[in-house]
């Protein structure tokens, strides 16, 4: 066994390989893009080497950089994981030329199966059933001729690559014309090969695949059949094994066909033979071979009790027992289901959702009943450059129904906040009848209508933030302010009207409010300083409960009178993680609330709709906010005053003056414009040059601090300690 191995990958698979290496007592070397600096795979590695900045084309796809890193670290072998260079024959050859072992198939096997049209030719020679289709197509005219021969609908495919990229269903000649150049371009841009072909499209096809493993000397074994039919835009979402509801003997026939293909090329290492299955005709057809570890390999491992990554490494090192001996020990048991958790927003056409993860919490996993393969933790930045998969949750149980229930429970307990994820979408799939019945097809998710209890921020307004009452208490002594609402009375009254708990989180609005699109029906009330409120263009009353229908847009405008803060309270409260016991946003500390900052356009907030209460309930007149243009504050004199710091006459002036609020006021403090103070000393002495300087002194919220000559009323996000008079 070699002593050091480099992983030419990132994310969950890099972490997975590193854990296996640790168990094998092999030193693990990670490479990384600077964008992945917070990834777990860097911290879990024995050695981590940077590939520089930039997307995959400048980092994880740079053969020279990866081989140089391997040589620098003393690694004897390179495991490519999945994606990136894992099926790149030129990379495998470059590894061998550099004296490094490529942990995967031989370069010629990568080439044979790497292009779908050559893989089809081999399958045909081995007698594996094929969908009727074409050879490589020279132009769109040739494509039309082939489609007429095969019969519409057809699937137009790029011969190179995988992952559902470069595939288009064409139902007529016009659709084929429209798609031809697009598929060519996708193949060229993503896989440097513009070759395309077509094959017959089955309307309700299942996607079945067989995990194979070969020793490179002619022995190949199969590890059951996986069902990967739950797909979105040809991308797998849920996978399971064994494939449910297959007729007697079908699994064995699929495995035999896969083994025949593997033996035809003396296949080496792990691979997957994929098939299209026509449920109506009960017939399977060869699709392609993935010459690498699959994302879904974990469900096979859980059912068969094997470690495919370990097998790959042992085979590459020459330490793997004979496959015949291994096969004799295999005893598949139970059922496993996997869900891919992505940083993407199902409510907005699944657009990727990069950003900072402020909360990451997965349920306890024992590695058997529940397994979580992940690369993220709280504080990780999800970069925009790479595949957005955050984790894979894999449940194993004796029966399929139990496995689904275990996975659903695990997803329900998972908490990921800071970026949008498909977690709730996955839960809805697990309850979707084609899946629960075990009779899915590759396009069945087109019939699933995603339901989201969310609100989208169309425009953010001025410093709109999430606040709760009473805020973050108990940390003032160590410099963490309570934050919370500037006008806690307005927030608490709004929550009372809605039947919420007094401290439920709401939106604090400053001067100008946000525009919000609601994806679920919910009740709302707006309290505080008067401002314009319209729901789909219809004016709404302040201080009164009203219903926001799903799909509606709420616009909160500018404050119309005295006062600069109002509160949007929603029934059930806004759902953000607690940080130090509060949901309040502390923007200076960059924690709490939504991503530790004020809202931005494009943000998504999560809600928890509850049973409705009567609309129209309103605050009594006596409780409504009535903010005069000039307000009088009660002030307790002290701790610093005349004659030690100020002239007695100035103190009288200070209390009698009508002060103007400075435009640069904020949650940190309300600055006041008025008469310049008359100090009784020339400087602060040892504390500083200005007379306002003193040695550090504890502050309270509402204290009037003199920062130089300007009084500032300390706000809920201000400091607890400082060196000015108070």
């Amino acid at each position: 066994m070699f002593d050091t191995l480099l992983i030419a990958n990132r994310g969950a698979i890099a972490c997975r390989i590193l854990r296996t290496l640790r168990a094998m007592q092999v030193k693990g070397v990670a490479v990384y893009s600077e964008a992945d600096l917070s990834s777990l795979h860097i911290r879990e590695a024995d050695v981590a080497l940077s590939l520089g900045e930039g997307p995959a084309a400048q980092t994880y796809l740079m053969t020279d950089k990866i081989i140089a890193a391997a040589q620098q670290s003393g690694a004897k072998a390179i495991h490519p994981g999945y994606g990136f260079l894992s099926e790149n024959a030129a990379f495998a050859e470059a590894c061998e030329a550099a004296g490094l072992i490529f942990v995967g198939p031989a370069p010629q096997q990568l080439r044979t199966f790497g292009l779908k049209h050559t893989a089809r030719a081999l399958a045909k020679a081995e007698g594996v059933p094929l969908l009727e289709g074409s050879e490589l197509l020279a132009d769109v005219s040739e494509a039309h001729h082939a489609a007429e021969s095969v019969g519409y609908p057809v699937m137009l495919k790029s011969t190179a690559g995988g992952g559902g990229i470069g595939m288009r269903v064409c139902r007529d000649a016009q659709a084929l014309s429209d798609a031809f150049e697009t598929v060519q371009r996708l193949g060229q841009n993503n896989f440097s090969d513009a070759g395309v072909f077509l094959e017959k499209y089955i309307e309700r096809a299942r996607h079945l695949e067989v995990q194979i493993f070969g020793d490179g000397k002619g022995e190949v074994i199969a590890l059951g059949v996986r069902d990967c039919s739950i797909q979105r835009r040809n991308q797998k979402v849920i996978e399971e094994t064994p494939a449910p509801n297959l007729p007697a003997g079908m699994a064995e026939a699929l495995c035999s066909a896969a083994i025949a293909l593997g033996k035809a090329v003396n296949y080496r290492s792990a691979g997957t033979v994929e098939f299209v299955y026509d449920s109506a005709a009960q017939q399977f057809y060869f699709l392609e071979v993935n010459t690498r570890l699959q994302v879904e390999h974990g469900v096979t491992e859980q059912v068969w009790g094997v470690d495919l990554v370990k097998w790959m490494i042992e085979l590459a090192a020459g330490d793997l027992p004979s496959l015949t001996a291994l096969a004799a020990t295999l005893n598949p048991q139970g059922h496993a289901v996997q869900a891919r958790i992505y940083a993407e927003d199902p409510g907005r056409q699944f657009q990727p959702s990069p950003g900072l993860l402020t909360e990451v919490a997965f349920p306890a996993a024992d590695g058997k009943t529940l397994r979580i393969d992940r690369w993220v933790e709280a504080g990780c930045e999800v970069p925009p450059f790479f595949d957005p998969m955050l984790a894979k949750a894999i449940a194993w149980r004796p029966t399929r129904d139990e496995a689904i229930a275990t996975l659903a429970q695990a997803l329900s307990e998972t908490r990921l906040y800071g970026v949008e994820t498909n977690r709730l979408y996955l839960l809805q799939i697990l309850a979707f009848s084609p899946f629960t019945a075990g009779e899915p097809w590759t396009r069945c998710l087109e019939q699933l209508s995603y339901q989201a209890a969310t609100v989208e921020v169309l425009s953010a307004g001025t410093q709109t933030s999430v606040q709760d009452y009473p805020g973050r208490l108990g940390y003032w002594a160590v410099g963490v302010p309570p934050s919370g609402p500037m006008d806690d009375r307005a927030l608490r009254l709004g929550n009372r009207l809605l039947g919420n708990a007094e401290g439920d989180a709401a939106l604090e609005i400053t001067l100008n409010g946000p525009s919000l699109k609601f994806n679920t029906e919910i009740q709302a009330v707006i309290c505080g300083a008067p401002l314009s409120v319209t729901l789909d263009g219809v004016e709404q009353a302040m201080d009164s409960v009203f219903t926001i229908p799903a799909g509606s847009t709420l616009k909160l405008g500018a404050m119309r009178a005295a006062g600069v803060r109002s509160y949007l309270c929603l029934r059930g409260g806004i759902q953000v993680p607690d940080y130090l016991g509060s949901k309040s946003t502390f923007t200076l500390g960059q924690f709490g609330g939504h991503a530790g900052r004020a809202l931005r356009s494009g943000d998504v907030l999560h809600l928890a709709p509850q049973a409705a209460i009567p609309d129209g309930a309103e605050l009594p007149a006596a409780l409504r906010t009535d903010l005069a243009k000039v307000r009088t504050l009660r002030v307790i004199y002290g701790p610093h005053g005349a004659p030690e710091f100020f002239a007695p006459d100035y103190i009288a002036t200070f209390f009698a003056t009508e002060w103007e609020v400075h435009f640069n006021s904020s949650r940190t403090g309300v600055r006041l414009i008025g008469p310049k103070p008359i100090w009784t000393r020339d400087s602060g002495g040892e504390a500083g040059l200005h007379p306002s300087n003193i040695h550090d002194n504890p502050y309270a919220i509402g204290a009037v601090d003199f920062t130089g000559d300007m009084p500032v009323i300390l706000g809920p996000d201000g400091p607890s300690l400082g060196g000015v008079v108070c």
Side-chain angles (χ1 to χ4, degrees):
M1 176 61 65
F2 32 73
D3 56 8
T4 307
L5 178 144
L6 180 139
I7 302 102
N9 218 294
R10 66 179 293 276
I13 185 58
C15 293
R16 161 83 173 87
I17 296 169
L18 283 165
R19 287 193 292 272
T20 298
L21 290 173
R22 192 176 303 117
M24 299 174 71
Q25 297 185 325
V26 174
K27 184 179 178 181
V29 180
V31 291
Y32 63 94
S33 162
E34 290 293 327
D36 272 334
L37 201 53
S38 59
S39 172
L40 273 176
H41 88 275
I42 296 174
R43 201 165 70 247
E44 291 190 357
D46 295 296
V47 176
L49 300 172
S50 174
L51 297 174
E53 297 184 353
Q58 299 168 23
T59 52
Y60 297 108
L61 292 174
M62 293 292 287
T63 296
D64 293 346
K65 285 185 177 181
I66 291 172
I67 289 178
Q71 293 171 331
Q72 176 187 340
S73 67
K76 303 297 191 296
I78 293 180
H79 196 306
Y82 44 64
F84 294 139
L85 296 168
S86 60
E87 296 180 281
N88 188 304
F91 176 62
E93 289 171 339
C95 289
E96 292 180 357
L100 299 164
I101 297 171
F102 179 79
V103 183
Q108 187 52 47
Q109 295 164 359
L110 294 171
R111 285 199 169 88
T112 298
F113 289 128
L115 297 175
K116 297 182 182 71
H117 74 282
T118 58
R120 279 173 58 88
L122 179 61
K124 184 177 181 180
E126 293 299 314
V128 178
L130 289 169
L131 285 168
E132 188 178 358
S134 73
E135 302 298 324
L136 286 182
L137 301 165
D139 52 36
V140 70
S141 176
E142 196 171 298
H144 282 302
H145 182 75
E148 291 296 334
S149 175
V150 170
Y152 289 100
V154 296
M155 177 74 86
L156 186 65
K157 291 184 173 182
S158 167
T159 187
I165 299 171
M167 298 170 63
R168 292 291 188 276
V169 177
C170 304
R171 300 188 180 278
D172 53 39
Q174 184 61 51
L176 183 57
S177 296
D178 295 342
F180 192 82
E181 288 188 7
T182 299
V183 174
Q184 278 189 320
R185 185 171 63 253
L186 286 168
Q188 182 63 47
N189 291 347
N190 289 281
F191 312 113
S192 301
D193 192 322
V196 297
F197 69 100
L198 60 78
E199 61 188 17
K200 183 68 179 174
Y201 175 68
I202 298 173
E203 288 287 356
R204 288 209 169 192
R206 287 174 68 177
H207 183 116
L208 305 179
E209 58 187 39
V210 176
Q211 176 71 60
I212 62 170
F213 199 94
D215 63 3
K217 301 173 183 177
E219 187 62 34
V220 178
I221 62 173
L223 300 172
V225 181
R226 297 189 288 251
D227 191 318
C228 305
S229 303
I230 296 294
Q231 300 180 11
R232 185 189 61 76
R233 299 175 191 163
N234 302 315
Q235 298 276 345
K236 299 167 187 173
V237 181
I238 303 279
E239 302 103 341
E240 61 180 311
T241 197
N245 295 328
L246 293 181
M250 185 58 65
E252 291 77 9
L254 286 159
C255 289
S256 295
I259 289 171
L261 278 173
K263 286 187 172 182
V265 297
N266 291 330
Y267 191 78
R268 183 183 82 188
S269 199
T272 298
V273 184
E274 301 193 347
F275 299 91
V276 171
Y277 180 70
D278 187 337
S279 298
Q282 295 192 350
Q283 175 63 51
F284 66 84
Y285 304 95
F286 173 75
L287 183 61
E288 63 181 341
V289 177
N290 282 297
T291 49
R292 56 175 168 81
L293 204 63
Q294 291 277 84
V295 176
E296 59 271 21
H297 73 276
V299 292
T300 296
E301 291 182 326
Q302 298 304 95
V303 167
W304 287 77
V306 300
D307 186 333
L308 290 169
V309 171
K310 184 180 180 184
W311 280 14
M312 293 175 74
I313 296 168
E314 287 178 335
L315 177 66
D319 295 335
L320 186 71
S322 78
L323 287 183
T324 303
L326 282 175
T329 66
L330 299 178
N331 180 29
Q333 294 182 332
H335 199 98
V337 187
Q338 170 179 288
R340 302 186 185 197
I341 303 173
Y342 285 101
E344 61 185 15
D345 188 350
R348 290 188 284 192
Q349 287 73 55
F350 296 90
Q351 69 182 36
S353 179
L356 178 68
L357 280 162
T358 56
E359 181 185 41
V360 174
F362 292 98
D366 59 10
K368 179 60 176 176
T369 301
L370 180 64
R371 169 176 155 184
I372 307 289
D373 289 0
R374 64 185 174 108
W375 66 270
V376 294
E377 60 183 351
C380 274
E381 185 82 28
V382 181
F385 304 122
F386 313 115
D387 181 275
M389 188 171 71
L390 304 177
K392 302 177 295 179
I394 308 167
W396 176 92
R397 297 292 288 155
T399 68
R400 182 174 188 267
D401 286 347
E402 290 174 308
I404 293 171
T406 298
L407 182 56
Q409 181 65 30
L411 290 172
S412 296
E413 295 175 5
T414 296
R415 293 289 174 267
L416 296 162
Y417 198 87
V419 304
E420 284 305 293
T421 74
N422 67 336
R423 183 183 69 87
L424 295 176
Y425 180 64
L426 293 169
L427 277 168
Q428 291 171 35
I429 293 173
L430 295 183
F432 184 44
S433 57
F435 175 73
T436 57
E439 297 177 352
W441 64 96
T442 54
R443 290 181 175 264
C444 66
L445 290 185
E446 293 174 0
Q447 300 183 5
L448 176 62
S449 178
Y450 174 64
Q451 304 296 316
T454 58
V455 54
E456 300 173 28
V457 180
L458 304 181
S459 63
T462 304
Q463 289 294 306
T464 306
S465 65
V466 177
Q467 302 293 338
D468 67 356
Y469 175 81
R472 194 167 285 108
L473 303 183
Y475 302 95
W476 192 242
V478 292
V480 178
S483 300
M486 290 282 281
D487 180 356
D488 65 85
R489 179 177 180 276
L491 181 144
R492 293 156 68 196
L493 287 171
N495 276 333
R496 182 187 295 182
L497 265 182
L498 288 167
N500 288 348
E502 182 179 52
D504 279 353
L507 289 186
E508 180 175 270
I509 298 148
T510 306
L511 287 175
N512 290 283
S515 292
L516 308 167
K517 180 184 177 184
F518 287 78
N519 297 316
T520 188
E521 181 176 288
I522 200 160
Q523 290 180 297
V525 66
I526 298 156
C527 293
L531 77 168
S532 61
V533 180
T534 59
L535 179 63
D536 292 335
V538 179
E539 227 176 295
Q540 304 294 315
M542 296 267 302
D543 302 313
S544 179
V545 176
F546 62 96
T547 295
I548 303 172
S552 294
T553 298
L554 181 70
K555 291 186 177 181
L556 306 177
M559 306 291 174
R560 294 188 295 202
V564 292
R565 281 182 175 79
S566 301
Y567 295 85
L568 170 61
C569 301
L570 299 165
R571 183 147 164 79
I574 294 170
Q575 305 301 300
V576 297
D578 282 355
Y579 191 94
L580 297 177
S582 170
K583 293 178 168 56
S584 286
T585 309
F586 177 39
T587 56
L588 288 176
Q590 299 180 20
F591 57 72
H594 181 79
R597 56 169 170 78
L599 297 189
R600 297 174 187 163
S601 297
D603 284 344
V604 176
L605 300 174
H606 288 252
L607 309 175
Q610 298 179 0
I613 61 173
D615 277 1
E618 59 183 24
L619 286 179
L623 291 179
R624 297 196 179 207
T625 302
D626 182 16
L627 299 174
K629 185 69 176 175
V630 177
R631 272 157 282 169
T632 302
L633 305 182
R634 178 172 178 261
V635 178
I636 301 171
Y637 184 48
H640 312 126
E644 185 180 1
F645 296 99
F646 299 103
D649 288 349
Y650 175 74
I651 293 298
T653 300
F654 172 79
F655 286 125
T657 295
E658 287 191 2
W659 297 86
E660 180 185 347
V661 175
H662 193 280
F663 69 89
N664 200 26
S665 296
S666 67
R667 288 178 52 84
T668 304
V670 179
R671 296 171 180 266
L672 303 177
I673 301 171
K676 184 177 179 179
I678 301 171
W679 301 95
T680 57
R681 58 185 192 163
D682 296 328
S683 75
E686 292 180 357
L689 293 177
H690 195 274
S692 64
N693 296 142
I694 59 173
H695 289 296
D696 280 359
N697 165 67
Y699 297 152
I701 291 175
V704 181
D705 294 346
F706 278 79
T707 55
D709 288 336
M710 177 174 280
V712 180
I713 304 174
L714 196 71
D717 285 353
S720 60
L721 190 71
V724 297
V725 299
C726 207

